[in-house]
Amino acid sequence: MRREPVLLVIAHGSRDPRHAATVHALVRRVRSLRPGLRVETGFLDFNVPSVQGVLESLAAKGVRDVVALPLLLTRAFHAKADIPAVLRDAPRRLRIHQAEVLGPSPLLLSALERRLYEAGLTPADKSSTGVVLASAGSTDPEAIAVIADIAREWWHTGWCAVRPAFASASLPRTEDAVRELRELGCSTVAVAPYVLAPGFLPDRIARGAARADVLAEVLGPSPEVARVLLERYDAARVPMPTAVGA
């Protein structure tokens, strides 16, 4: 019988309790979509259990294969440095495969639109609505370029305009992108947070959206995000050979 690798979801962690609650809700949705798959959660900072603690526990229980999935939307410092460093310190008996980050993905664009429609927009509003794609921000040029590419791709689906914005590290800020869309002549301006869970930077995005007409919720435990997690898991997992006599 083939044993599936454990899926370890690695979240950043936050002092804001809404962050961990959202991560756990997303993991519950993943479990509901793939009954029988063992899914664990570890945090890099602020919350427990830690990634290292989960890895040690899995090794002690006889687990051999793990897919470590960064709960990140772009491939920036945490995915390139922090997480690999933690995984290198894992118990040697574990075979760990690091999955790709969640974005970009067409499913995430679908999740963004879902949140905008839940906030009051309709598909008929697209051609007259300018959207601010508001992300946390990064000093990593690759991550910034990815957000710009996503904004361009999303604009081609029929929105009046789509502008990227950042809550930290990069410019423009959300409020500047809102003002630009007003000046461009969009009848409605909406802000779509391209973040997974509430916290300090999403709150900054919300403050920057004060002059927008619509502010969507964070992506959170939407079904599209859960499906992306499983796609990344399936792409990274290496099935164990069938046991003799199974």
Side-chain angles (χ1 to χ4, degrees), residues 2-235:
R2 192 176 73 183
R3 294 169 57 193
E4 300 286 3
V6 172
L7 169 56
L8 172 58
V9 176
I10 301 178
H12 182 271
S14 171
R15 293 186 178 88
D16 190 320
R18 296 173 298 168
H19 174 88
T22 302
V23 171
H24 291 310
L26 176 58
V27 168
R28 287 194 296 272
R29 187 177 285 276
V30 171
R31 291 186 181 121
S32 73
L33 292 176
R34 187 74 61 88
L37 173 63
R38 182 171 180 180
V39 186
E40 302 289 343
T41 307
F43 295 90
L44 291 173
D45 206 353
F46 302 116
N47 303 104
V48 292
S50 67
V51 176
Q52 188 65 29
V54 173
L55 292 171
E56 291 173 357
S57 176
L58 290 173
K61 293 175 181 176
V63 170
R64 291 298 304 278
D65 282 80
V66 176
V67 169
L69 194 156
L71 198 60
L72 301 167
L73 293 172
T74 58
R75 196 171 173 276
F77 182 78
H78 293 306
K80 294 177 179 178
D82 284 352
I83 291 175
V86 172
L87 298 181
R88 282 195 295 270
D89 290 336
R92 295 181 63 84
R93 66 169 285 120
L94 293 175
R95 292 189 294 255
I96 302 175
H97 308 279
Q98 183 174 333
E100 292 295 328
V101 297
L102 302 184
S105 166
L107 284 169
L108 294 177
L109 285 181
S110 296
L112 286 165
E113 293 211 2
R114 168 196 288 272
R115 292 304 189 218
L116 286 172
Y117 296 151
E118 289 171 348
L121 293 178
T122 70
D125 298 319
K126 290 185 76 167
S127 63
S128 61
T129 299
V131 180
V132 178
L133 180 68
S135 74
S138 174
T139 57
D140 188 302
E142 178 186 351
I144 298 303
V146 166
I147 298 300
D149 288 343
I150 293 170
R152 282 192 293 270
E153 179 182 352
W154 203 15
W155 170 57
H156 286 303
T157 67
W159 297 99
C160 174
V162 180
R163 294 290 186 270
F166 307 94
S168 68
S170 307
L171 296 173
R173 294 286 184 257
T174 302
E175 53 269 33
D176 299 325
V178 169
R179 183 170 56 252
E180 180 185 350
L181 290 172
R182 290 279 187 219
E183 293 171 353
L184 190 63
C186 298
S187 299
T188 302
V189 175
V191 174
Y194 190 59
V195 292
L196 288 166
F200 176 75
L201 293 179
D203 284 349
R204 180 179 288 177
I205 290 171
R207 290 193 296 272
R211 295 187 180 276
D213 302 297
V214 174
L215 171 63
E217 293 292 331
V218 299
L219 295 172
S222 64
E224 296 88 353
V225 176
R227 286 167 57 196
V228 175
L229 261 72
L230 290 172
E231 284 186 355
R232 298 294 183 256
Y233 169 81
D234 289 335

